[in-house]
Amino acid sequence: MAVAKNKISNTTPNAAEPRRDDRWRETHLGRLLGHAMRKFDERVLHLMAHDEGVPLALANLAARNQISAAHIHITRHLALEGSRLTELSQAAGMSKQAMGDLVDQCEAWGLVKRGADPLDARAKKLVFTQDGLAWLDAFKVAVAQAEIEFKESVGQDVATVVALGLEAYAQA
């Protein structure tokens, strides 16, 4: 019996078993979506760090990468009239404990505050502070700019198809 030769194409050294092709792990749709979302969020945070409308302390935190994409979950999901922690964590797809940690940080930074929930005396409702609303306004502007840059990068037709496809997929 001959020993398997070390072929670059399909075998591993000293093994008769074919080498697995795992290139798919780098290029599957979920991974590409994750990379795209991280890139988009990084761009949004960069724009916010340089927006004159963002309170200086928050802009400095964003510029020093102290505010992460995880903190953006609060910006994306906190209702203008306020939300309970459980609602916020569900909307962001996070555990209540993880969201609680983010809320604690955002409260310390002055983005949000806890208040009484008028519908349930036992519950607390999270609401944006004035600085938090300024942050939200800057977020809206930064998202619009990042979307413009995306369209310039891939072309209007591709951007439209991507947006429609993602919307259909998310609602399916």
Side-chain angles (χ1 to χ4, degrees):
M1 279 264 169
V3 177
K5 292 183 180 178
N6 182 9
K7 293 182 183 177
I8 294 175
S9 63
N10 233 7
T11 61
T12 57
N14 302 323
E17 190 174 310
R19 183 172 22 167
R20 292 182 180 207
D21 181 5
D22 68 347
R23 290 175 289 186
W24 64 270
R25 296 186 330 163
E26 297 293 323
T27 59
H28 68 83
L29 183 59
R31 182 115 180 203
L32 295 173
L33 288 169
H35 289 316
M37 185 164 183
R38 278 188 294 282
K39 181 177 182 175
F40 190 87
D41 286 346
E42 287 171 5
R43 182 63 182 145
V44 167
L45 285 171
H46 174 80
L47 291 167
M48 293 176 73
H50 298 90
D51 186 317
E52 292 179 9
V54 173
L56 185 58
L58 295 172
N60 285 335
L61 287 167
R64 293 191 329 263
N65 296 321
Q66 299 297 305
I67 296 178
S68 69
H71 296 95
I72 294 295
H73 285 307
I74 292 172
T75 310
R76 278 192 183 112
H77 299 290
L78 181 59
L80 289 176
E81 66 278 1
S83 303
R84 291 182 183 175
L85 184 62
T86 52
E87 296 167 339
L88 192 54
S89 64
Q90 287 173 348
M94 299 173 66
S95 71
K96 187 176 171 184
Q97 181 178 358
M99 181 56 77
D101 291 343
L102 290 175
V103 167
D104 288 344
Q105 288 177 332
C106 289
E107 187 175 31
W109 296 336
L111 275 173
V112 298
K113 65 181 178 182
R114 287 179 170 97
D117 185 337
L119 301 177
D120 185 349
R122 300 167 297 162
K124 296 287 183 193
K125 204 165 201 177
L126 302 164
V127 295
F128 284 110
T129 62
Q130 284 305 113
D131 282 351
L133 291 171
W135 174 265
L136 185 61
D137 289 341
F139 181 72
K140 179 181 179 182
V141 170
V143 165
Q145 178 61 38
E147 286 181 357
I148 289 168
E149 292 171 7
F150 173 74
K151 290 173 186 172
E152 290 171 351
S153 176
V154 302
Q156 181 65 46
D157 292 343
V158 171
T160 299
V161 169
V162 167
L164 290 172
L166 290 174
E167 184 177 357
Y169 181 70
Q171 294 177 1

